Amino acid sequence: MRIGMWSGPRNLSTAMMYAFGTRADCTAWDEPFYAAYLTETGIDHPMRQAILASQAKVPDAVVERILATPPTPHLYLKMMTHHMTIDLPLDWAVGFANIHLIRHPARVIASYTAKRETPDLTLDDIGFGQAARIYEALPGPVIDSADIRADPAAMLRLLCDAIGLPFEPAMLHWSAGPKPFDGVWGPHWYDAVHRSTGFAGAEGPLPDVEDAHRDLLDAALPVYEAMHAARLRP
């Protein structure tokens, strides 16, 4: 089985990759389109040159490698919605076990701006601009990071059932520190999850969003709310 876990940035996506990466039957692959996204958009991200040197830069080459990589028996792909530019087709992922991981945009904006300062943050930067298109093209279960953090065992069991994968309690814990399947960008983005050995507890109240990002929050909320309504429920 090829599992495509679609998520915007700062959505618990790395912790989910670690959960699946603990499974002996699952090979994890971290953000295969990152270098292709940076190449196509020209956007400046932390560690840009190291990322470009670490991966294929042409989307077709990435797709070819994904399809050529045999599941062992499962291939887990941490897929970032913001890496899927509007002209990139998605038909190659039809038939995968596609999962859509969401998080309230107020939390995404607060977490993202803490790691990458950008005054002109856009809907595409945080993945909401692409999430609805990907969900429509590649339907599958929706899971909210808040539900996972509130009850990891129950939600991972629900998710595994939804895709026909036996749940393993080992998914709830991992060793601290970097993992061999981390992308080269891990030292910048993954410091918190590297200190962890499992899912963090339930989150508190929503953070305040700066005035500069209020319009962005308002634009992202309808996408989040529509997918949230379709989520797997605890």
Side-chain angles (χ1 to χ4, degrees):
M1 179 191 302
R2 290 184 174 87
I3 302 166
M5 177 68 76
W6 297 92
S7 166
R10 317 308 291 170
N11 270 26
L12 204 72
S13 57
T14 305
M16 290 296 286
M17 177 176 69
Y18 284 11
F20 279 85
T22 64
R23 299 178 61 107
D25 62 356
C26 199
T27 298
W29 188 348
D30 194 7
E31 303 186 26
F33 287 91
Y34 201 165
Y37 162 73
L38 293 181
T39 300
E40 183 170 344
T41 63
I43 195 169
D44 186 23
H45 268 212
M47 303 185 68
R48 174 184 167 88
Q49 292 306 317
I51 296 166
L52 292 174
S54 72
Q55 293 182 319
K57 304 179 187 67
V58 178
D60 286 349
V62 180
V63 170
E64 183 177 346
R65 185 180 168 197
I66 288 172
L67 297 179
T69 301
T72 56
H74 309 302
L75 175 63
Y76 181 92
L77 299 156
K78 179 188 169 193
M79 305 295 289
M80 308 309 289
T81 57
H82 62 295
H83 292 173
M84 298 295 109
T85 55
I86 194 65
D87 58 346
L88 184 63
L90 297 167
D91 56 340
W92 52 271
V94 172
F96 289 15
N98 289 296
I99 304 164
H100 303 272
L101 175 65
I102 59 172
R103 190 185 190 195
H104 194 286
R107 299 193 190 279
V108 173
I109 292 167
S111 180
Y112 190 93
T113 53
K115 299 297 290 185
R116 177 176 177 249
E117 295 183 11
T118 175
D120 55 350
L121 192 64
T122 71
L123 202 63
D124 285 352
D125 288 330
I126 59 172
F128 286 91
Q130 303 88 338
R133 177 178 78 95
I134 294 170
Y135 181 51
E136 182 177 0
L138 303 170
V142 178
I143 190 162
D144 194 307
S145 64
D147 293 331
I148 298 169
R149 289 183 57 163
D151 194 341
M155 294 310 301
L156 286 179
R157 190 180 298 276
L158 274 176
L159 178 59
C160 287
D161 286 347
I163 63 172
L165 188 69
F167 170 70
E168 292 187 4
M171 297 174 72
L172 301 174
H173 303 285
W174 49 84
S175 59
K179 305 295 178 286
F181 45 80
D182 285 348
V184 69
W185 50 88
H188 179 83
W189 295 100
Y190 296 172
D191 53 327
V193 74
H194 284 169
R195 294 192 299 271
S196 74
T197 57
F199 291 98
E203 295 182 292
L206 289 176
D208 292 329
V209 173
E210 297 179 359
D211 289 345
H213 295 133
R214 289 296 309 180
D215 288 346
L216 177 61
L217 174 62
D218 291 343
L221 271 172
V223 176
Y224 170 76
E225 289 170 348
M227 297 183 71
H228 180 77
R231 77 194 191 283
L232 294 176
R233 297 176 185 270

